[in-house]
Amino acid sequence: MHEVDEESRYISDFYAYLEQPENETRYAPTLDWLSRRFGQTRFSLLDVGCGHGQLRRFVPPTCDYVGIDHSVHAIDRCRGLFPDGEFHHLDVQEAIGLWGPEGRRFDAVVFAGMINHMVEKDTLETKSDRRIMSAYIERLSKPGGYLSLIVGVPYRSDPEYGFYPQAAWKHDKVGEATAGLPLDLAALTLTAQLGLEERIRQQRQRPDWFIERPEDATPNRHTGAYIGALTALFRIRSATATRLDG
Ligand SMILES: C[S@@+](CC[C@H](N)C(=O)[O-])C[C@H]1O[C@@H](n2cnc3c(N)ncnc32)[C@H](O)[C@@H]1O
C-alpha cells in the first residue's frame, strides 16, 4: 500500500485529489457539529496529519487551529498557504511527547484520512490506530472534548468495491480504532456526492484525479480518490483513557 515514501507523495501529485473542490465536503459534518456545539465560544482544534492544511481553510474564525504532519513538504506548503497558521512538523507520537507533559490540550482532535494511514516515516510500518487514539484522548484532549474520525470512502462500479460495502468496511475500521476507549458516539454520518461521476463524465475536461476504472490506474496514482466520507464524532467521556499494554 505504501509503495511511495511519505515525502514523495507530496513532491509528486499523489495527494492532489485531497485538494480537489469535489473532495472538500469531507470536512463539512465535523465543522457543522463543532460550530453548533461551540457557537461563538472560542475552541481549539488539532488536525492530526493535516497534509496541505485543507481543513484550515474552512474552520470558523472562533477556532484556534493547529495542524501537525510528519511530511516536511506538507508543512512547508501549509506555512506558505497560511502564514498566520500554526503548523508543526511532527510525528503523531512526537506530538504526544511534546505537548502531553506541558498539559496542552485541545477541545477537538480531528483525524481526517488517518485511519490505516498512520505510518513510521522511515520504515512505512503502519501504526496502531487504537493505540494512537487512546494516547490522544488521554494526553492531548480536554475532558468532554471531541474526537472526529473522517474516513474517505472511495468506490468503484463492481459490487465488492461498491460505495456501501466500502462504507461498511470503513465503519468496522472506526469500530476497531475506538473499541473500549472512553468515547460516546455523538454523531455518525456518511456523505456521498451523488451524481458526481455523471457530472464529471459530462465535463469537457475531466479532473485528472478522477479515474473511471481505478483498476486501470497505476498503484501510486490517486487510488484513494475520495468520493464519499464516513464521519464519526465522539464525545470524550473523561481524561482517563483505557491504558493499552505495551
Ligand atoms: C491521506 S493523507 C490525509 C491528509 C489530510 N488529513 C486530509 O484529509 O487531506 C495522510 C496524512 O497523514 C500524514 N501522516 C502519516 N503518518 C503520519 C505520522 N506518523 N505522523 C504525522 N503525520 C503522518 C501524511 O504525511 C499525510 O499528510
Side-chain angles (χ1 to χ4, degrees), residues 6 10 15 17-18 26-27 47-52 54 68-71 74 90-93 112-114 117-121 127 226:
E6 290 286 275
Y10 280 104
Y15 276 145
Y17 70 93
L18 295 171
R26 66 190 181 281
Y27 301 123
D47 184 9
V48 185
C50 61
H52 281 163
Q54 289 299 291
I68 63 165
D69 202 289
H70 69 178
S71 161
L90 284 174
D91 173 83
V92 280
Q93 279 157 310
M114 300 304 284
H117 282 282
M118 288 184 274
V119 296
E120 293 290 346
K121 196 172 176 187
K127 293 178 189 271
Y226 291 169

PDB file of all heavy atoms in Angstrom, residues 6 10 15 17-18 26-27 47-52 54 68-71 74 90-93 112-114 117-121 127 226, ligand 1:
ATOM      1  N   GLU A   6       6.811   8.766   2.069  1.00  0.00           N
ATOM      2  CA  GLU A   6       5.891   9.805   2.515  1.00  0.00           C
ATOM      3  C   GLU A   6       6.189  11.176   1.909  1.00  0.00           C
ATOM      4  O   GLU A   6       5.271  11.912   1.569  1.00  0.00           O
ATOM      5  CB  GLU A   6       5.901   9.881   4.044  1.00  0.00           C
ATOM      6  CG  GLU A   6       5.258   8.670   4.702  1.00  0.00           C
ATOM      7  CD  GLU A   6       3.735   8.683   4.568  1.00  0.00           C
ATOM      8  OE1 GLU A   6       3.064   9.309   5.391  1.00  0.00           O
ATOM      9  OE2 GLU A   6       3.244   8.049   3.618  1.00  0.00           O
ATOM     10  N   TYR A  10       4.143  14.003  -1.490  1.00  0.00           N
ATOM     11  CA  TYR A  10       3.859  15.442  -1.566  1.00  0.00           C
ATOM     12  C   TYR A  10       4.651  16.124  -2.668  1.00  0.00           C
ATOM     13  O   TYR A  10       4.242  17.148  -3.190  1.00  0.00           O
ATOM     14  CB  TYR A  10       4.105  16.109  -0.204  1.00  0.00           C
ATOM     15  CG  TYR A  10       2.914  15.875   0.698  1.00  0.00           C
ATOM     16  CD1 TYR A  10       2.961  14.945   1.729  1.00  0.00           C
ATOM     17  CD2 TYR A  10       1.720  16.538   0.472  1.00  0.00           C
ATOM     18  CE1 TYR A  10       1.847  14.703   2.519  1.00  0.00           C
ATOM     19  CE2 TYR A  10       0.604  16.304   1.247  1.00  0.00           C
ATOM     20  CZ  TYR A  10       0.679  15.384   2.268  1.00  0.00           C
ATOM     21  OH  TYR A  10      -0.436  15.141   3.029  1.00  0.00           O
ATOM     22  N   TYR A  15      -1.094  13.141  -3.727  1.00  0.00           N
ATOM     23  CA  TYR A  15      -2.155  13.575  -2.817  1.00  0.00           C
ATOM     24  C   TYR A  15      -3.004  14.711  -3.400  1.00  0.00           C
ATOM     25  O   TYR A  15      -3.787  15.325  -2.674  1.00  0.00           O
ATOM     26  CB  TYR A  15      -1.564  14.022  -1.483  1.00  0.00           C
ATOM     27  CG  TYR A  15      -1.304  12.896  -0.501  1.00  0.00           C
ATOM     28  CD1 TYR A  15      -0.209  12.946   0.359  1.00  0.00           C
ATOM     29  CD2 TYR A  15      -2.166  11.806  -0.399  1.00  0.00           C
ATOM     30  CE1 TYR A  15       0.026  11.925   1.276  1.00  0.00           C
ATOM     31  CE2 TYR A  15      -1.935  10.783   0.517  1.00  0.00           C
ATOM     32  CZ  TYR A  15      -0.838  10.849   1.356  1.00  0.00           C
ATOM     33  OH  TYR A  15      -0.613   9.855   2.264  1.00  0.00           O
ATOM     34  N   TYR A  17      -5.571  14.774  -5.122  1.00  0.00           N
ATOM     35  CA  TYR A  17      -7.025  14.603  -5.026  1.00  0.00           C
ATOM     36  C   TYR A  17      -7.580  15.172  -3.723  1.00  0.00           C
ATOM     37  O   TYR A  17      -8.736  15.562  -3.654  1.00  0.00           O
ATOM     38  CB  TYR A  17      -7.413  13.124  -5.169  1.00  0.00           C
ATOM     39  CG  TYR A  17      -7.021  12.241  -4.014  1.00  0.00           C
ATOM     40  CD1 TYR A  17      -7.913  12.000  -2.978  1.00  0.00           C
ATOM     41  CD2 TYR A  17      -5.775  11.654  -3.954  1.00  0.00           C
ATOM     42  CE1 TYR A  17      -7.563  11.189  -1.907  1.00  0.00           C
ATOM     43  CE2 TYR A  17      -5.408  10.845  -2.892  1.00  0.00           C
ATOM     44  CZ  TYR A  17      -6.305  10.618  -1.871  1.00  0.00           C
ATOM     45  OH  TYR A  17      -5.954   9.828  -0.819  1.00  0.00           O
ATOM     46  N   LEU A  18      -6.728  15.251  -2.708  1.00  0.00           N
ATOM     47  CA  LEU A  18      -7.209  15.769  -1.419  1.00  0.00           C
ATOM     48  C   LEU A  18      -7.532  17.257  -1.481  1.00  0.00           C
ATOM     49  O   LEU A  18      -8.231  17.782  -0.631  1.00  0.00           O
ATOM     50  CB  LEU A  18      -6.156  15.526  -0.326  1.00  0.00           C
ATOM     51  CG  LEU A  18      -5.885  14.061   0.008  1.00  0.00           C
ATOM     52  CD1 LEU A  18      -4.681  13.927   0.934  1.00  0.00           C
ATOM     53  CD2 LEU A  18      -7.116  13.428   0.655  1.00  0.00           C
ATOM     54  N   ARG A  26     -15.626  16.581   2.663  1.00  0.00           N
ATOM     55  CA  ARG A  26     -15.363  15.610   3.739  1.00  0.00           C
ATOM     56  C   ARG A  26     -15.317  16.257   5.123  1.00  0.00           C
ATOM     57  O   ARG A  26     -15.497  15.586   6.122  1.00  0.00           O
ATOM     58  CB  ARG A  26     -14.078  14.826   3.465  1.00  0.00           C
ATOM     59  CG  ARG A  26     -12.785  15.633   3.492  1.00  0.00           C
ATOM     60  CD  ARG A  26     -11.654  14.766   2.954  1.00  0.00           C
ATOM     61  NE  ARG A  26     -10.350  15.377   2.926  1.00  0.00           N
ATOM     62  CZ  ARG A  26      -9.911  16.232   2.010  1.00  0.00           C
ATOM     63  NH1 ARG A  26     -10.721  16.629   1.055  1.00  0.00           N
ATOM     64  NH2 ARG A  26      -8.684  16.692   2.045  1.00  0.00           N
ATOM     65  N   TYR A  27     -15.039  17.545   5.175  1.00  0.00           N
ATOM     66  CA  TYR A  27     -14.933  18.211   6.479  1.00  0.00           C
ATOM     67  C   TYR A  27     -16.264  18.767   6.983  1.00  0.00           C
ATOM     68  O   TYR A  27     -16.368  19.166   8.143  1.00  0.00           O
ATOM     69  CB  TYR A  27     -13.955  19.380   6.394  1.00  0.00           C
ATOM     70  CG  TYR A  27     -12.563  18.984   5.967  1.00  0.00           C
ATOM     71  CD1 TYR A  27     -11.968  19.554   4.855  1.00  0.00           C
ATOM     72  CD2 TYR A  27     -11.840  18.031   6.690  1.00  0.00           C
ATOM     73  CE1 TYR A  27     -10.686  19.198   4.472  1.00  0.00           C
ATOM     74  CE2 TYR A  27     -10.559  17.660   6.304  1.00  0.00           C
ATOM     75  CZ  TYR A  27      -9.996  18.256   5.194  1.00  0.00           C
ATOM     76  OH  TYR A  27      -8.736  17.894   4.815  1.00  0.00           O
ATOM     77  N   ASP A  47      -5.507  19.216  14.120  1.00  0.00           N
ATOM     78  CA  ASP A  47      -5.697  18.469  12.867  1.00  0.00           C
ATOM     79  C   ASP A  47      -4.488  17.541  12.717  1.00  0.00           C
ATOM     80  O   ASP A  47      -3.385  17.985  12.378  1.00  0.00           O
ATOM     81  CB  ASP A  47      -5.779  19.483  11.717  1.00  0.00           C
ATOM     82  CG  ASP A  47      -6.069  18.853  10.369  1.00  0.00           C
ATOM     83  OD1 ASP A  47      -6.378  17.646  10.317  1.00  0.00           O
ATOM     84  OD2 ASP A  47      -6.001  19.591   9.354  1.00  0.00           O
ATOM     85  N   VAL A  48      -4.705  16.263  13.016  1.00  0.00           N
ATOM     86  CA  VAL A  48      -3.598  15.303  13.050  1.00  0.00           C
ATOM     87  C   VAL A  48      -3.359  14.761  11.638  1.00  0.00           C
ATOM     88  O   VAL A  48      -4.259  14.200  11.028  1.00  0.00           O
ATOM     89  CB  VAL A  48      -3.928  14.142  14.017  1.00  0.00           C
ATOM     90  CG1 VAL A  48      -2.731  13.205  14.139  1.00  0.00           C
ATOM     91  CG2 VAL A  48      -4.353  14.657  15.374  1.00  0.00           C
ATOM     92  N   GLY A  49      -2.139  14.948  11.115  1.00  0.00           N
ATOM     93  CA  GLY A  49      -1.849  14.537   9.732  1.00  0.00           C
ATOM     94  C   GLY A  49      -2.541  15.506   8.790  1.00  0.00           C
ATOM     95  O   GLY A  49      -3.328  15.116   7.932  1.00  0.00           O
ATOM     96  N   CYS A  50      -2.223  16.789   8.941  1.00  0.00           N
ATOM     97  CA  CYS A  50      -3.008  17.850   8.282  1.00  0.00           C
ATOM     98  C   CYS A  50      -2.758  17.936   6.785  1.00  0.00           C
ATOM     99  O   CYS A  50      -3.506  18.612   6.071  1.00  0.00           O
ATOM    100  CB  CYS A  50      -2.720  19.193   8.933  1.00  0.00           C
ATOM    101  SG  CYS A  50      -0.989  19.684   8.817  1.00  0.00           S
ATOM    102  N   GLY A  51      -1.709  17.256   6.289  1.00  0.00           N
ATOM    103  CA  GLY A  51      -1.434  17.310   4.852  1.00  0.00           C
ATOM    104  C   GLY A  51      -1.236  18.744   4.397  1.00  0.00           C
ATOM    105  O   GLY A  51      -0.453  19.498   4.988  1.00  0.00           O
ATOM    106  N   HIS A  52      -1.953  19.144   3.393  1.00  0.00           N
ATOM    107  CA  HIS A  52      -1.826  20.506   2.877  1.00  0.00           C
ATOM    108  C   HIS A  52      -2.739  21.498   3.593  1.00  0.00           C
ATOM    109  O   HIS A  52      -3.016  22.576   3.067  1.00  0.00           O
ATOM    110  CB  HIS A  52      -2.106  20.531   1.374  1.00  0.00           C
ATOM    111  CG  HIS A  52      -0.936  20.052   0.577  1.00  0.00           C
ATOM    112  ND1 HIS A  52      -1.036  19.663  -0.721  1.00  0.00           N
ATOM    113  CD2 HIS A  52       0.370  19.893   0.924  1.00  0.00           C
ATOM    114  CE1 HIS A  52       0.176  19.291  -1.155  1.00  0.00           C
ATOM    115  NE2 HIS A  52       1.018  19.413  -0.175  1.00  0.00           N
ATOM    116  N   GLN A  54      -5.906  21.536   4.242  1.00  0.00           N
ATOM    117  CA  GLN A  54      -7.200  21.864   3.630  1.00  0.00           C
ATOM    118  C   GLN A  54      -8.252  22.220   4.670  1.00  0.00           C
ATOM    119  O   GLN A  54      -9.053  23.125   4.468  1.00  0.00           O
ATOM    120  CB  GLN A  54      -7.699  20.681   2.795  1.00  0.00           C
ATOM    121  CG  GLN A  54      -6.923  20.468   1.529  1.00  0.00           C
ATOM    122  CD  GLN A  54      -7.021  21.682   0.624  1.00  0.00           C
ATOM    123  OE1 GLN A  54      -8.068  21.968   0.077  1.00  0.00           O
ATOM    124  NE2 GLN A  54      -5.940  22.395   0.483  1.00  0.00           N
ATOM    125  N   ILE A  68      -0.591  19.299  12.441  1.00  0.00           N
ATOM    126  CA  ILE A  68       0.702  18.611  12.504  1.00  0.00           C
ATOM    127  C   ILE A  68       0.760  17.570  11.376  1.00  0.00           C
ATOM    128  O   ILE A  68      -0.257  17.006  10.987  1.00  0.00           O
ATOM    129  CB  ILE A  68       0.955  17.909  13.863  1.00  0.00           C
ATOM    130  CG1 ILE A  68      -0.068  16.782  14.126  1.00  0.00           C
ATOM    131  CG2 ILE A  68       0.989  18.899  15.000  1.00  0.00           C
ATOM    132  CD1 ILE A  68       0.345  15.841  15.247  1.00  0.00           C
ATOM    133  N   ASP A  69       1.974  17.337  10.889  1.00  0.00           N
ATOM    134  CA  ASP A  69       2.173  16.288   9.883  1.00  0.00           C
ATOM    135  C   ASP A  69       3.656  15.940   9.888  1.00  0.00           C
ATOM    136  O   ASP A  69       4.500  16.802  10.173  1.00  0.00           O
ATOM    137  CB  ASP A  69       1.764  16.790   8.478  1.00  0.00           C
ATOM    138  CG  ASP A  69       1.445  15.641   7.531  1.00  0.00           C
ATOM    139  OD1 ASP A  69       2.380  14.918   7.120  1.00  0.00           O
ATOM    140  OD2 ASP A  69       0.257  15.450   7.222  1.00  0.00           O
ATOM    141  N   HIS A  70       3.974  14.694   9.572  1.00  0.00           N
ATOM    142  CA  HIS A  70       5.400  14.335   9.566  1.00  0.00           C
ATOM    143  C   HIS A  70       6.069  14.622   8.219  1.00  0.00           C
ATOM    144  O   HIS A  70       7.267  14.431   8.085  1.00  0.00           O
ATOM    145  CB  HIS A  70       5.629  12.883  10.020  1.00  0.00           C
ATOM    146  CG  HIS A  70       5.147  11.817   9.083  1.00  0.00           C
ATOM    147  ND1 HIS A  70       5.320  10.476   9.357  1.00  0.00           N
ATOM    148  CD2 HIS A  70       4.506  11.874   7.882  1.00  0.00           C
ATOM    149  CE1 HIS A  70       4.808   9.770   8.349  1.00  0.00           C
ATOM    150  NE2 HIS A  70       4.308  10.584   7.475  1.00  0.00           N
ATOM    151  N   SER A  71       5.308  15.112   7.271  1.00  0.00           N
ATOM    152  CA  SER A  71       5.916  15.453   5.979  1.00  0.00           C
ATOM    153  C   SER A  71       6.423  16.897   6.004  1.00  0.00           C
ATOM    154  O   SER A  71       5.662  17.838   6.228  1.00  0.00           O
ATOM    155  CB  SER A  71       4.893  15.287   4.856  1.00  0.00           C
ATOM    156  OG  SER A  71       5.324  16.005   3.719  1.00  0.00           O
ATOM    157  N   ALA A  74       4.738  18.878   3.220  1.00  0.00           N
ATOM    158  CA  ALA A  74       3.354  19.259   3.526  1.00  0.00           C
ATOM    159  C   ALA A  74       3.333  20.461   4.466  1.00  0.00           C
ATOM    160  O   ALA A  74       2.590  21.427   4.230  1.00  0.00           O
ATOM    161  CB  ALA A  74       2.613  18.077   4.143  1.00  0.00           C
ATOM    162  N   LEU A  90       5.731  17.290  12.828  1.00  0.00           N
ATOM    163  CA  LEU A  90       5.809  16.339  13.944  1.00  0.00           C
ATOM    164  C   LEU A  90       5.180  15.007  13.557  1.00  0.00           C
ATOM    165  O   LEU A  90       4.169  14.963  12.845  1.00  0.00           O
ATOM    166  CB  LEU A  90       4.995  16.860  15.141  1.00  0.00           C
ATOM    167  CG  LEU A  90       5.548  17.975  16.012  1.00  0.00           C
ATOM    168  CD1 LEU A  90       4.481  18.397  17.021  1.00  0.00           C
ATOM    169  CD2 LEU A  90       6.808  17.519  16.735  1.00  0.00           C
ATOM    170  N   ASP A  91       5.752  13.954  14.077  1.00  0.00           N
ATOM    171  CA  ASP A  91       5.116  12.639  14.007  1.00  0.00           C
ATOM    172  C   ASP A  91       3.970  12.611  15.038  1.00  0.00           C
ATOM    173  O   ASP A  91       4.031  13.318  16.052  1.00  0.00           O
ATOM    174  CB  ASP A  91       6.161  11.572  14.349  1.00  0.00           C
ATOM    175  CG  ASP A  91       5.554  10.195  14.471  1.00  0.00           C
ATOM    176  OD1 ASP A  91       5.368   9.542  13.441  1.00  0.00           O
ATOM    177  OD2 ASP A  91       5.239   9.785  15.604  1.00  0.00           O
ATOM    178  N   VAL A  92       2.957  11.803  14.776  1.00  0.00           N
ATOM    179  CA  VAL A  92       1.813  11.758  15.704  1.00  0.00           C
ATOM    180  C   VAL A  92       2.257  11.455  17.142  1.00  0.00           C
ATOM    181  O   VAL A  92       1.699  12.018  18.088  1.00  0.00           O
ATOM    182  CB  VAL A  92       0.739  10.714  15.301  1.00  0.00           C
ATOM    183  CG1 VAL A  92      -0.158  11.225  14.213  1.00  0.00           C
ATOM    184  CG2 VAL A  92       1.327   9.379  14.935  1.00  0.00           C
ATOM    185  N   GLN A  93       3.246  10.578  17.279  1.00  0.00           N
ATOM    186  CA  GLN A  93       3.671  10.234  18.639  1.00  0.00           C
ATOM    187  C   GLN A  93       4.561  11.311  19.264  1.00  0.00           C
ATOM    188  O   GLN A  93       4.518  11.533  20.468  1.00  0.00           O
ATOM    189  CB  GLN A  93       4.363   8.872  18.642  1.00  0.00           C
ATOM    190  CG  GLN A  93       3.322   7.753  18.664  1.00  0.00           C
ATOM    191  CD  GLN A  93       3.835   6.447  18.130  1.00  0.00           C
ATOM    192  OE1 GLN A  93       4.413   6.395  17.040  1.00  0.00           O
ATOM    193  NE2 GLN A  93       3.629   5.385  18.878  1.00  0.00           N
ATOM    194  N   ALA A 112      -8.388  13.146   9.894  1.00  0.00           N
ATOM    195  CA  ALA A 112      -9.034  13.057   8.569  1.00  0.00           C
ATOM    196  C   ALA A 112      -8.128  12.261   7.637  1.00  0.00           C
ATOM    197  O   ALA A 112      -6.977  12.639   7.408  1.00  0.00           O
ATOM    198  CB  ALA A 112      -9.293  14.446   7.999  1.00  0.00           C
ATOM    199  N   GLY A 113      -8.647  11.163   7.140  1.00  0.00           N
ATOM    200  CA  GLY A 113      -7.854  10.324   6.236  1.00  0.00           C
ATOM    201  C   GLY A 113      -6.696   9.653   6.942  1.00  0.00           C
ATOM    202  O   GLY A 113      -5.665   9.375   6.313  1.00  0.00           O
ATOM    203  N   MET A 114      -6.834   9.401   8.234  1.00  0.00           N
ATOM    204  CA  MET A 114      -5.707   8.865   9.004  1.00  0.00           C
ATOM    205  C   MET A 114      -5.874   7.413   9.438  1.00  0.00           C
ATOM    206  O   MET A 114      -4.890   6.754   9.751  1.00  0.00           O
ATOM    207  CB  MET A 114      -5.472   9.736  10.251  1.00  0.00           C
ATOM    208  CG  MET A 114      -5.145  11.172   9.934  1.00  0.00           C
ATOM    209  SD  MET A 114      -3.715  11.354   8.848  1.00  0.00           S
ATOM    210  CE  MET A 114      -2.373  11.036   9.976  1.00  0.00           C
ATOM    211  N   HIS A 117      -3.666   4.910   7.959  1.00  0.00           N
ATOM    212  CA  HIS A 117      -2.686   5.700   7.205  1.00  0.00           C
ATOM    213  C   HIS A 117      -1.585   6.279   8.070  1.00  0.00           C
ATOM    214  O   HIS A 117      -0.761   7.038   7.568  1.00  0.00           O
ATOM    215  CB  HIS A 117      -3.378   6.852   6.459  1.00  0.00           C
ATOM    216  CG  HIS A 117      -4.076   6.412   5.222  1.00  0.00           C
ATOM    217  ND1 HIS A 117      -3.424   6.153   4.044  1.00  0.00           N
ATOM    218  CD2 HIS A 117      -5.378   6.164   4.977  1.00  0.00           C
ATOM    219  CE1 HIS A 117      -4.287   5.774   3.127  1.00  0.00           C
ATOM    220  NE2 HIS A 117      -5.492   5.767   3.672  1.00  0.00           N
ATOM    221  N   MET A 118      -1.583   5.958   9.357  1.00  0.00           N
ATOM    222  CA  MET A 118      -0.509   6.496  10.193  1.00  0.00           C
ATOM    223  C   MET A 118       0.658   5.532  10.140  1.00  0.00           C
ATOM    224  O   MET A 118       0.520   4.365  10.496  1.00  0.00           O
ATOM    225  CB  MET A 118      -0.991   6.695  11.626  1.00  0.00           C
ATOM    226  CG  MET A 118      -1.951   7.867  11.724  1.00  0.00           C
ATOM    227  SD  MET A 118      -2.479   8.222  13.388  1.00  0.00           S
ATOM    228  CE  MET A 118      -3.863   7.118  13.564  1.00  0.00           C
ATOM    229  N   VAL A 119       1.787   6.022   9.666  1.00  0.00           N
ATOM    230  CA  VAL A 119       2.939   5.147   9.461  1.00  0.00           C
ATOM    231  C   VAL A 119       4.189   5.724  10.117  1.00  0.00           C
ATOM    232  O   VAL A 119       4.264   6.924  10.373  1.00  0.00           O
ATOM    233  CB  VAL A 119       3.226   4.935   7.945  1.00  0.00           C
ATOM    234  CG1 VAL A 119       2.081   4.207   7.272  1.00  0.00           C
ATOM    235  CG2 VAL A 119       3.530   6.246   7.245  1.00  0.00           C
ATOM    236  N   GLU A 120       5.155   4.821  10.359  1.00  0.00           N
ATOM    237  CA  GLU A 120       6.505   5.257  10.727  1.00  0.00           C
ATOM    238  C   GLU A 120       7.127   5.793   9.455  1.00  0.00           C
ATOM    239  O   GLU A 120       7.139   5.096   8.429  1.00  0.00           O
ATOM    240  CB  GLU A 120       7.349   4.060  11.210  1.00  0.00           C
ATOM    241  CG  GLU A 120       6.900   3.430  12.502  1.00  0.00           C
ATOM    242  CD  GLU A 120       7.149   4.322  13.708  1.00  0.00           C
ATOM    243  OE1 GLU A 120       7.901   5.316  13.594  1.00  0.00           O
ATOM    244  OE2 GLU A 120       6.559   4.027  14.756  1.00  0.00           O
ATOM    245  N   LYS A 121       7.631   7.017   9.520  1.00  0.00           N
ATOM    246  CA  LYS A 121       8.099   7.635   8.282  1.00  0.00           C
ATOM    247  C   LYS A 121       9.245   6.842   7.635  1.00  0.00           C
ATOM    248  O   LYS A 121       9.292   6.698   6.413  1.00  0.00           O
ATOM    249  CB  LYS A 121       8.542   9.069   8.575  1.00  0.00           C
ATOM    250  CG  LYS A 121       8.682   9.897   7.343  1.00  0.00           C
ATOM    251  CD  LYS A 121       8.923  11.336   7.699  1.00  0.00           C
ATOM    252  CE  LYS A 121       9.169  12.139   6.453  1.00  0.00           C
ATOM    253  NZ  LYS A 121       9.563  13.509   6.762  1.00  0.00           N
ATOM    254  N   LYS A 127       1.125   2.269  12.025  1.00  0.00           N
ATOM    255  CA  LYS A 127       0.958   2.383  13.480  1.00  0.00           C
ATOM    256  C   LYS A 127      -0.437   1.899  13.859  1.00  0.00           C
ATOM    257  O   LYS A 127      -1.343   1.918  13.042  1.00  0.00           O
ATOM    258  CB  LYS A 127       1.117   3.840  13.915  1.00  0.00           C
ATOM    259  CG  LYS A 127       2.529   4.410  13.743  1.00  0.00           C
ATOM    260  CD  LYS A 127       2.534   5.866  14.156  1.00  0.00           C
ATOM    261  CE  LYS A 127       3.830   6.580  13.808  1.00  0.00           C
ATOM    262  NZ  LYS A 127       4.851   6.503  14.852  1.00  0.00           N
ATOM    263  N   TYR A 226     -11.254  10.286  -2.867  1.00  0.00           N
ATOM    264  CA  TYR A 226     -12.493  10.244  -2.084  1.00  0.00           C
ATOM    265  C   TYR A 226     -13.667  10.510  -3.011  1.00  0.00           C
ATOM    266  O   TYR A 226     -13.599  11.341  -3.886  1.00  0.00           O
ATOM    267  CB  TYR A 226     -12.554  11.367  -1.048  1.00  0.00           C
ATOM    268  CG  TYR A 226     -11.623  11.309   0.091  1.00  0.00           C
ATOM    269  CD1 TYR A 226     -11.487  12.421   0.912  1.00  0.00           C
ATOM    270  CD2 TYR A 226     -10.892  10.189   0.396  1.00  0.00           C
ATOM    271  CE1 TYR A 226     -10.646  12.417   1.997  1.00  0.00           C
ATOM    272  CE2 TYR A 226     -10.040  10.175   1.470  1.00  0.00           C
ATOM    273  CZ  TYR A 226      -9.912  11.286   2.268  1.00  0.00           C
ATOM    274  OH  TYR A 226      -9.074  11.272   3.330  1.00  0.00           O
TER     275      TYR A 226
HETATM  276  C1  LIG B   1      -4.319  10.505   3.433  1.00  0.00           C
HETATM  277  S1  LIG B   1      -3.386  11.897   3.963  1.00  0.00           S
HETATM  278  C2  LIG B   1      -4.654  12.893   4.769  1.00  0.00           C
HETATM  279  C3  LIG B   1      -4.287  14.360   4.795  1.00  0.00           C
HETATM  280  C4  LIG B   1      -5.349  15.290   5.388  1.00  0.00           C
HETATM  281  N1  LIG B   1      -5.680  14.966   6.759  1.00  0.00           N
HETATM  282  C5  LIG B   1      -6.595  15.331   4.535  1.00  0.00           C
HETATM  283  O1  LIG B   1      -7.643  14.857   4.940  1.00  0.00           O
HETATM  284  O2  LIG B   1      -6.494  15.883   3.436  1.00  0.00           O
HETATM  285  C6  LIG B   1      -2.492  11.222   5.373  1.00  0.00           C
HETATM  286  C7  LIG B   1      -1.544  12.241   6.008  1.00  0.00           C
HETATM  287  O3  LIG B   1      -1.001  11.677   7.205  1.00  0.00           O
HETATM  288  C8  LIG B   1       0.364  12.042   7.322  1.00  0.00           C
HETATM  289  N2  LIG B   1       0.955  11.052   8.234  1.00  0.00           N
HETATM  290  C9  LIG B   1       1.024   9.706   8.066  1.00  0.00           C
HETATM  291  N3  LIG B   1       1.640   9.122   9.114  1.00  0.00           N
HETATM  292  C10 LIG B   1       1.950  10.130   9.983  1.00  0.00           C
HETATM  293  C11 LIG B   1       2.612  10.165  11.235  1.00  0.00           C
HETATM  294  N4  LIG B   1       3.095   9.049  11.811  1.00  0.00           N
HETATM  295  N5  LIG B   1       2.762  11.353  11.858  1.00  0.00           N
HETATM  296  C12 LIG B   1       2.305  12.508  11.272  1.00  0.00           C
HETATM  297  N6  LIG B   1       1.680  12.538  10.076  1.00  0.00           N
HETATM  298  C13 LIG B   1       1.506  11.361   9.430  1.00  0.00           C
HETATM  299  C14 LIG B   1       0.854  12.015   5.887  1.00  0.00           C
HETATM  300  O4  LIG B   1       2.040  12.773   5.711  1.00  0.00           O
HETATM  301  C15 LIG B   1      -0.339  12.607   5.152  1.00  0.00           C
HETATM  302  O5  LIG B   1      -0.276  14.009   5.106  1.00  0.00           O
END
